[in-house]
Protein backbone atom coordinates (compact mmCIF):
# COMPACT_ATOMS: atom_id res chain seq x y z
CA UNK A 1 0.00 0.00 0.00
CA UNK A 2 1.20 3.50 -0.80
CA UNK A 3 1.38 6.05 2.01
CA UNK A 4 2.35 9.72 2.33
CA UNK A 5 5.01 9.69 5.04
CA UNK A 6 6.70 12.58 6.80
CA UNK A 7 10.34 12.49 5.69
CA UNK A 8 11.45 15.80 7.19
CA UNK A 9 10.26 18.75 9.28
CA UNK A 10 11.46 22.29 9.89
CA UNK A 11 10.25 25.57 11.34
CA UNK A 12 11.29 29.18 11.66
CA UNK A 13 10.40 32.10 13.92
CA UNK A 14 11.58 35.60 12.96
CA UNK A 15 13.70 37.79 15.23
CA UNK A 16 13.48 37.78 18.99
CA UNK A 17 10.53 36.82 21.23
CA UNK A 18 8.36 39.77 22.26
CA UNK A 19 6.95 39.34 25.79
CA UNK A 20 3.53 40.39 27.04
CA UNK A 21 5.18 43.10 29.14
CA UNK A 22 6.99 44.42 26.05
CA UNK A 23 3.63 44.75 24.25
CA UNK A 24 2.36 46.78 27.20
CA UNK A 25 5.53 48.91 27.09
CA UNK A 26 4.94 49.48 23.35
CA UNK A 27 1.55 51.04 24.19
CA UNK A 28 -0.97 48.16 24.08
CA UNK A 29 -3.37 48.63 27.02
CA UNK A 30 -2.82 45.13 28.46
CA UNK A 31 -0.87 43.16 31.05
CA UNK A 32 1.08 39.91 31.30
CA UNK A 33 -1.46 38.70 33.85
CA UNK A 34 -4.48 39.25 31.52
CA UNK A 35 -2.85 37.60 28.49
CA UNK A 36 -1.29 34.68 30.42
CA UNK A 37 -4.44 33.83 32.36
CA UNK A 38 -6.84 33.96 29.42
CA UNK A 39 -4.63 32.57 26.64
CA UNK A 40 -1.44 30.97 28.03
CA UNK A 41 0.59 33.14 25.64
CA UNK A 42 3.89 34.47 27.05
CA UNK A 43 5.76 35.56 23.92
CA UNK A 44 5.29 35.90 20.18
CA UNK A 45 7.61 36.70 17.23
CA UNK A 46 6.93 39.68 14.99
CA UNK A 47 8.64 39.87 11.59
CA UNK A 48 10.51 43.08 10.74
CA UNK A 49 8.77 45.37 8.26
CA UNK A 50 9.33 44.04 4.75
CA UNK A 51 9.86 40.41 5.79
CA UNK A 52 7.33 38.27 3.93
CA UNK A 53 5.61 34.92 4.34
CA UNK A 54 7.67 33.43 1.47
CA UNK A 55 10.87 34.37 3.31
CA UNK A 56 9.71 32.67 6.51
CA UNK A 57 8.49 29.71 4.42
CA UNK A 58 11.92 29.47 2.78
CA UNK A 59 13.74 29.23 6.12
CA UNK A 60 11.39 26.51 7.42
CA UNK A 61 11.49 24.64 4.09
CA UNK A 62 15.30 24.64 3.94
CA UNK A 63 15.36 22.84 7.30
CA UNK A 64 12.61 20.36 6.34
CA UNK A 65 14.33 19.52 3.02
CA UNK A 66 17.66 19.00 4.77
CA UNK A 67 15.96 16.88 7.47
CA UNK A 68 14.46 14.71 4.72
CA UNK A 69 17.90 14.26 3.15
CA UNK A 70 16.70 15.33 -0.29
CA UNK A 71 17.41 18.23 -2.67
CA UNK A 72 14.94 21.01 -3.42
CA UNK A 73 14.89 19.92 -7.08
CA UNK A 74 13.55 16.49 -6.02
CA UNK A 75 10.24 18.06 -4.90
CA UNK A 76 7.35 17.72 -7.37
CA UNK A 77 4.57 19.42 -5.35
CA UNK A 78 4.70 22.61 -3.24
CA UNK A 79 1.69 23.73 -1.22
CA UNK A 80 1.81 26.82 0.99
CA UNK A 81 -1.00 27.44 3.46
CA UNK A 82 -1.21 31.14 4.20
CA UNK A 83 -3.73 33.94 4.75
CA UNK A 84 -0.98 36.55 4.57
CA UNK A 85 0.53 35.96 1.11
CA UNK A 86 3.32 38.18 -0.23
CA UNK A 87 1.16 39.34 -3.14
CA UNK A 88 -2.37 38.95 -4.48
CA UNK A 89 -0.52 36.90 -7.09
CA UNK A 90 1.74 35.09 -7.89
CA UNK A 91 1.15 32.59 -5.13
CA UNK A 92 3.49 32.41 -2.16
CA UNK A 93 4.17 28.81 -3.22
CA UNK A 94 5.60 30.03 -6.55
CA UNK A 95 7.73 32.66 -4.79
CA UNK A 96 8.99 29.96 -2.42
CA UNK A 97 9.72 27.69 -5.37
CA UNK A 98 11.99 30.34 -6.89
CA UNK A 99 13.81 30.89 -3.59
CA UNK A 100 14.39 27.14 -3.26
CA UNK A 101 15.73 26.88 -6.82
CA UNK A 102 13.10 24.29 -7.74
CA UNK A 103 11.74 24.23 -11.26
CA UNK A 104 8.73 22.37 -12.58
CA UNK A 105 6.99 21.29 -9.39
CA UNK A 106 3.27 22.01 -9.19
CA UNK A 107 2.94 24.94 -6.76
CA UNK A 108 -0.10 26.63 -5.26
CA UNK A 109 -1.46 28.25 -2.08
CA UNK A 110 -4.25 27.06 0.19
CA UNK A 111 -6.42 29.60 2.00
CA UNK A 112 -8.12 27.98 4.98
CA UNK A 113 -6.74 30.33 7.68
CA UNK A 114 -5.72 28.41 10.83
CA UNK A 115 -6.77 25.05 9.31
CA UNK A 116 -4.61 25.74 6.25
CA UNK A 117 -1.74 23.40 7.09
CA UNK A 118 -4.09 20.50 7.87
CA UNK A 119 -5.97 21.17 4.62
CA UNK A 120 -2.65 21.30 2.71
CA UNK A 121 -1.38 18.01 4.19
CA UNK A 122 -4.74 16.43 3.30
CA UNK A 123 -4.44 17.61 -0.31
CA UNK A 124 -0.79 16.55 -0.63
CA UNK A 125 -1.64 13.11 0.74
CA UNK A 126 -4.27 12.61 -1.97
CA UNK A 127 -1.76 13.56 -4.70
CA UNK A 128 0.84 11.16 -3.29
CA UNK A 129 -1.64 8.29 -2.77
CA UNK A 130 -2.83 8.70 -6.37
CA UNK A 131 0.71 8.07 -7.57
CA UNK A 132 0.89 11.35 -9.51
CA UNK A 133 3.44 12.98 -7.16
CA UNK A 134 6.26 11.56 -5.04
CA UNK A 135 7.70 14.31 -2.88
CA UNK A 136 5.57 17.15 -1.52
CA UNK A 137 6.72 20.20 0.42
CA UNK A 138 3.84 21.38 2.62
CA UNK A 139 4.27 24.70 4.41
CA UNK A 140 2.28 26.92 6.77
CA UNK A 141 3.65 30.48 6.76
CA UNK A 142 2.20 33.70 8.11
CA UNK A 143 2.97 37.33 8.90
CA UNK A 144 -0.26 37.83 10.85
CA UNK A 145 1.20 40.93 12.53
CA UNK A 146 0.44 42.78 9.25
CA UNK A 147 -3.33 42.22 9.54
CA UNK A 148 -3.65 43.11 13.22
CA UNK A 149 -5.21 46.31 14.51
CA UNK A 150 -2.65 47.29 17.15
CA UNK A 151 -5.31 49.50 18.77
CA UNK A 152 -7.57 46.46 19.36
CA UNK A 153 -6.14 44.83 22.49
CA UNK A 154 -8.65 41.97 22.33
CA UNK A 155 -7.00 40.60 19.16
CA UNK A 156 -3.49 42.04 18.72
CA UNK A 157 -2.04 40.24 21.76
CA UNK A 158 -3.10 36.81 20.46
CA UNK A 159 -1.16 36.40 17.23
CA UNK A 160 2.41 36.12 15.93
CA UNK A 161 4.47 35.39 12.81
CA UNK A 162 6.27 32.19 11.80
CA UNK A 163 6.49 29.21 9.46
CA UNK A 164 6.64 25.44 9.61
CA UNK A 165 7.18 22.86 6.87
CA UNK A 166 7.12 19.13 6.24
CA UNK A 167 8.34 17.00 3.36
CA UNK A 168 5.84 14.23 2.62
CA UNK A 169 7.05 11.40 0.42
CA UNK A 170 5.56 8.30 -1.15
CA UNK A 171 6.43 5.27 0.94
CA UNK A 172 5.32 1.71 1.56
CA UNK A 173 5.69 2.44 5.30
CA UNK A 174 2.82 4.28 7.06
CA UNK A 175 2.27 7.45 6.83
CA UNK A 176 -0.92 9.39 6.92
CA UNK A 177 -3.60 6.92 8.06
CA UNK A 178 -6.76 9.07 7.92
CA UNK A 179 -7.96 12.60 7.28
CA UNK A 180 -11.16 14.55 7.99
CA UNK A 181 -11.78 18.12 6.80
CA UNK A 182 -14.81 20.39 6.91
CA UNK A 183 -16.04 23.96 6.49
CA UNK A 184 -19.17 25.93 7.36
CA UNK A 185 -19.24 29.30 5.63
CA UNK A 186 -22.23 30.47 7.65
CA UNK A 187 -19.77 31.25 10.46
CA UNK A 188 -17.73 33.65 8.28
CA UNK A 189 -18.69 36.65 10.43
CA UNK A 190 -17.15 35.48 13.76
CA UNK A 191 -13.56 35.70 12.49
CA UNK A 192 -12.58 37.64 9.40
CA UNK A 193 -10.47 40.30 7.72
CA UNK A 194 -13.35 41.88 5.83
CA UNK A 195 -11.46 44.26 3.52
CA UNK A 196 -10.65 43.76 -0.16
CA UNK A 197 -8.51 45.36 -2.84
CA UNK A 198 -10.37 47.13 -5.62
CA UNK A 199 -9.16 49.67 -8.18
CA UNK A 200 -5.78 49.85 -6.47
CA UNK A 201 -7.11 50.55 -2.99
CA UNK A 202 -8.02 48.60 0.12
CA UNK A 203 -11.79 48.84 0.44
CA UNK A 204 -13.33 48.14 3.84
CA UNK A 205 -11.47 46.97 6.94
CA UNK A 206 -8.01 45.42 6.40
CA UNK A 207 -7.67 44.14 9.99
CA UNK A 208 -8.63 40.92 11.78
CA UNK A 209 -11.98 41.11 13.59
CA UNK A 210 -13.19 38.42 15.96
CA UNK A 211 -16.03 37.47 18.27
CA UNK A 212 -13.71 35.82 20.82
CA UNK A 213 -16.29 33.92 22.82
CA UNK A 214 -18.10 32.54 19.75
CA UNK A 215 -14.74 31.45 18.31
CA UNK A 216 -13.81 29.78 21.59
CA UNK A 217 -16.97 27.67 21.69
CA UNK A 218 -16.82 26.75 18.00
CA UNK A 219 -13.13 25.80 18.21
CA UNK A 220 -13.48 23.39 21.14
CA UNK A 221 -16.44 21.61 19.56
CA UNK A 222 -14.86 21.37 16.10
CA UNK A 223 -11.44 20.22 17.37
CA UNK A 224 -13.01 17.54 19.57
CA UNK A 225 -15.39 16.20 16.92
CA UNK A 226 -12.90 16.17 14.07
CA UNK A 227 -10.19 14.36 16.07
CA UNK A 228 -12.75 11.68 16.98
CA UNK A 229 -13.97 11.46 13.38
CA UNK A 230 -10.44 11.10 12.02
CA UNK A 231 -9.60 8.34 14.51
CA UNK A 232 -12.89 6.57 13.68
CA UNK A 233 -11.96 6.58 9.96
CA UNK A 234 -8.78 4.68 10.92
CA UNK A 235 -10.74 2.40 13.26
CA UNK A 236 -9.04 3.51 16.47
CA UNK A 237 -10.26 5.35 19.57
CA UNK A 238 -8.90 8.80 20.32
CA UNK A 239 -7.46 7.49 23.60
CA UNK A 240 -4.99 5.31 21.66
CA UNK A 241 -3.18 8.18 19.94
CA UNK A 242 0.31 8.97 21.25
CA UNK A 243 0.33 12.72 20.53
CA UNK A 244 -2.23 15.41 19.81
CA UNK A 245 -0.77 18.41 17.96
CA UNK A 246 -3.65 20.92 17.97
CA UNK A 247 -3.84 24.37 16.47
CA UNK A 248 -2.01 26.66 18.91
CA UNK A 249 -4.56 29.44 19.52
CA UNK A 250 -5.18 29.45 23.22
CA UNK A 251 -4.22 27.10 26.09
CA UNK A 252 -7.79 27.04 27.36
CA UNK A 253 -9.11 25.84 23.97
CA UNK A 254 -6.37 23.18 23.90
CA UNK A 255 -7.06 22.01 27.47
CA UNK A 256 -10.84 21.84 26.93
CA UNK A 257 -10.35 19.83 23.73
CA UNK A 258 -7.95 17.38 25.41
CA UNK A 259 -10.39 16.91 28.28
CA UNK A 260 -13.28 16.16 25.94
CA UNK A 261 -11.09 13.67 24.06
CA UNK A 262 -10.05 11.97 27.33
CA UNK A 263 -6.40 12.76 26.66
CA UNK A 264 -4.03 13.79 29.47
CA UNK A 265 -2.11 17.02 28.77
CA UNK A 266 1.12 14.93 28.80
CA UNK A 267 0.02 13.67 25.35
CA UNK A 268 -0.68 17.14 23.97
CA UNK A 269 1.98 19.30 22.31
CA UNK A 270 1.74 22.91 23.50
CA UNK A 271 3.85 25.73 22.07
CA UNK A 272 1.29 28.55 22.12
CA UNK A 273 3.05 30.02 25.18
CA UNK A 274 6.17 30.64 23.06
CA UNK A 275 4.80 31.98 19.76
CA UNK A 276 1.10 32.78 20.20
CA UNK A 277 -1.34 32.00 17.40
CA UNK A 278 0.58 31.82 14.11
CA UNK A 279 -2.47 30.63 12.15
CA UNK A 280 -1.46 28.17 9.39
CA UNK A 281 2.09 27.93 10.81
CA UNK A 282 1.01 26.85 14.28
CA UNK A 283 0.59 23.09 13.75
CA UNK A 284 3.90 22.52 11.91
CA UNK A 285 5.72 24.77 14.42
CA UNK A 286 4.40 22.60 17.27
CA UNK A 287 5.09 19.35 15.42
CA UNK A 288 8.67 20.39 14.66
CA UNK A 289 9.29 21.37 18.30
CA UNK A 290 8.03 18.01 19.58
CA UNK A 291 10.08 16.02 17.05
CA UNK A 292 13.23 18.09 17.75
CA UNK A 293 13.02 17.61 21.51
CA UNK A 294 12.47 13.85 21.13
CA UNK A 295 8.87 13.62 22.34
CA UNK A 296 7.38 12.49 19.02
CA UNK A 297 9.19 9.35 17.87
CA UNK A 298 9.09 7.25 14.69
CA UNK A 299 6.22 4.76 14.72
CA UNK A 300 4.03 6.82 17.07
CA UNK A 301 0.48 7.86 16.20
CA UNK A 302 0.01 11.60 15.93
CA UNK A 303 -3.13 13.65 15.31
CA UNK A 304 -2.62 17.09 13.74
CA UNK A 305 -5.70 19.31 13.90
CA UNK A 306 -6.71 22.83 13.03
CA UNK A 307 -9.68 25.19 13.17
CA UNK A 308 -9.96 28.69 11.80
CA UNK A 309 -11.75 31.39 9.90
CA UNK A 310 -14.30 30.34 7.32
CA UNK A 311 -15.05 28.47 9.49
CA UNK A 312 -12.79 25.59 8.49
CA UNK A 313 -11.57 22.64 10.51
CA UNK A 314 -9.77 19.36 9.99
CA UNK A 315 -7.54 16.61 11.35
CA UNK A 316 -4.87 14.26 10.06
CA UNK A 317 -3.98 11.01 11.83
CA UNK A 318 -0.53 9.77 10.92
CA UNK A 319 2.12 7.35 11.99
CA UNK A 320 5.32 9.37 12.23
N1 LIG B 1 -5.69 43.11 27.96
C1 LIG B 1 -6.45 43.51 28.98
N2 LIG B 1 -7.79 43.53 28.96
C2 LIG B 1 -8.38 43.09 27.84
C3 LIG B 1 -7.65 42.64 26.74
C4 LIG B 1 -6.25 42.67 26.82
N3 LIG B 1 -5.45 42.25 25.81
N4 LIG B 1 -8.52 42.26 25.78
C5 LIG B 1 -9.76 42.46 26.25
N5 LIG B 1 -9.67 42.97 27.50
C6 LIG B 1 -10.77 43.30 28.41
C7 LIG B 1 -12.04 43.66 27.68
O1 LIG B 1 -12.01 45.02 27.30
C8 LIG B 1 -13.08 43.39 28.73
O2 LIG B 1 -13.09 44.45 29.64
P1 LIG B 1 -14.47 44.94 30.33
O3 LIG B 1 -14.96 43.76 31.11
O4 LIG B 1 -14.04 46.10 31.16
O5 LIG B 1 -15.37 45.29 29.18
C9 LIG B 1 -12.51 42.18 29.47
O6 LIG B 1 -11.10 42.14 29.17
C10 LIG B 1 -13.13 40.87 29.06
O7 LIG B 1 -13.17 40.84 27.64
P2 LIG B 1 -13.72 39.58 26.90
O8 LIG B 1 -13.57 39.77 25.43
O9 LIG B 1 -15.07 39.23 27.43
O10 LIG B 1 -12.68 38.50 27.38
P3 LIG B 1 -12.79 36.92 27.32
O11 LIG B 1 -12.78 36.40 28.69
O12 LIG B 1 -13.84 36.46 26.37
O13 LIG B 1 -11.39 36.56 26.69
C11 LIG B 1 -10.37 35.93 24.61
C12 LIG B 1 -11.06 37.03 25.38
C13 LIG B 1 -9.06 35.57 25.28
C14 LIG B 1 -10.07 36.43 23.20
C15 LIG B 1 -11.30 34.68 24.57
O14 LIG B 1 -12.58 35.04 24.13
C16 LIG B 1 -10.76 33.63 23.72
O15 LIG B 1 -9.81 32.98 24.06
N6 LIG B 1 -11.38 33.38 22.56
C17 LIG B 1 -10.84 32.49 21.59
C18 LIG B 1 -10.31 33.35 20.52
C19 LIG B 1 -9.08 32.81 19.85
O16 LIG B 1 -8.29 32.06 20.36
N7 LIG B 1 -8.95 33.25 18.63
C20 LIG B 1 -7.85 32.89 17.85
C21 LIG B 1 -8.20 33.01 16.45
S1 LIG B 1 -9.32 31.80 15.99
C22 LIG B 1 -8.54 30.46 15.86
O17 LIG B 1 -7.36 30.41 15.74
C23 LIG B 1 -9.33 29.27 15.90
Amino acid sequence: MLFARIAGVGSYLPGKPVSNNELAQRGVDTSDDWISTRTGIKTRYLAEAGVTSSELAFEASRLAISDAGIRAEDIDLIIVATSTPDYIFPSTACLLQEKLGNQGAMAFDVQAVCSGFVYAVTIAEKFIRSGSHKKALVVGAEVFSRILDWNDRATCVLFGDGAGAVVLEASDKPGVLATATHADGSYNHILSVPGCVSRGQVVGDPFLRMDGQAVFKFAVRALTDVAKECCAVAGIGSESIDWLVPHQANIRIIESTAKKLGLPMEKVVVTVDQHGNTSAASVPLALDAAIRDGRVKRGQRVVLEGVGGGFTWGAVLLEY
Side-chain angles (χ1 to χ4, degrees):
M1 191 162 160
L2 191 61
F3 290 96
R5 184 168 193 264
I6 292 185
V9 291
S11 66
Y12 181 75
L13 290 161
K16 293 193 180 125
V18 178
S19 70
N20 296 336
N21 282 330
E22 280 173 87
L23 284 189
Q25 284 156 16
R26 290 182 189 189
V28 181
D29 181 14
T30 191
S31 66
D32 176 50
D33 183 52
W34 194 97
I35 301 171
S36 302
T37 312
R38 280 186 167 74
T39 72
I41 297 166
K42 289 285 182 191
T43 58
R44 76 284 294 139
Y45 293 74
L46 304 173
E48 299 262 333
V51 173
T52 63
S53 286
S54 72
E55 289 168 25
L56 305 186
F58 172 69
E59 297 298 337
S61 299
R62 247 178 0 101
L63 296 170
I65 290 166
S66 147
D67 191 40
I70 63 168
R71 298 165 309 163
E73 50 266 45
D74 299 332
I75 291 162
D76 53 13
L77 173 64
I78 300 172
I79 310 179
V80 175
T82 185
S83 298
T84 47
D86 294 21
Y87 302 130
I88 294 172
F89 73 81
S91 69
T92 305
C94 285
L95 301 174
L96 171 63
Q97 180 181 36
E98 186 199 20
K99 288 183 171 62
L100 289 170
N102 173 286
Q103 281 173 342
M106 181 183 185
F108 62 94
D109 288 1
V110 165
Q111 220 285 32
V113 201
C114 306
S115 313
F117 182 76
V118 169
Y119 265 51
V121 169
T122 302
I123 295 164
E125 192 250 351
K126 308 299 174 218
F127 275 89
I128 288 174
R129 286 281 289 269
S130 78
S132 67
H133 292 74
K134 303 240 170 325
K135 287 186 174 31
L137 174 66
V138 182
V139 188
E142 302 281 13
V143 283
F144 248 56
S145 57
R146 306 282 158 70
I147 54 168
L148 299 176
D149 177 354
W150 288 95
N151 294 312
D152 177 10
R153 64 180 181 170
T155 54
C156 72
V157 301
L158 304 176
F159 297 90
D161 303 332
V166 299
V167 173
L168 283 177
E169 64 183 17
S171 170
D172 52 8
K173 288 188 215 145
V176 173
L177 303 173
T179 62
T181 38
H182 300 284
D184 184 344
S186 69
Y187 286 88
N188 70 79
H189 58 283
I190 64 171
L191 180 61
S192 65
V193 178
C196 71
V197 177
S198 175
R199 294 171 187 257
Q201 289 186 328
V202 176
V203 178
D205 185 349
F207 295 125
L208 183 146
R209 303 297 173 199
M210 179 179 73
D211 175 346
Q213 287 171 12
V215 167
F216 193 104
K217 280 186 210 140
F218 191 103
V220 173
R221 194 178 69 242
L223 290 171
T224 305
D225 290 351
V226 84
K228 283 185 185 163
E229 180 191 348
C230 195
C231 288
V233 172
I236 66 164
S238 54
E239 67 291 340
S240 67
I241 64 179
D242 295 302
W243 293 102
L244 180 69
V245 185
H247 173 44
Q248 306 289 316
N250 179 314
I251 190 64
R252 292 189 302 138
I253 292 176
I254 295 173
E255 284 171 351
S256 300
T257 304
K259 197 169 164 202
K260 284 179 188 290
L261 289 171
L263 285 175
M265 283 304 287
E266 292 72 40
K267 286 186 164 194
V268 181
V269 178
V270 176
T271 53
V272 67
D273 53 320
Q274 297 158 45
H275 54 64
N277 185 345
T278 56
S279 192
S282 99
V283 170
L285 273 163
L287 178 66
D288 186 41
I291 290 173
R292 295 276 146 259
D293 68 21
R295 275 178 292 169
V296 173
K297 296 180 181 60
R298 283 286 177 197
Q300 289 187 323
R301 283 176 181 161
V302 182
V303 168
L304 313 177
E305 61 170 352
V307 60
F311 249 64
T312 57
W313 63 103
V316 172
L317 169 68
L318 58 87
E319 188 175 310
Y320 174 59

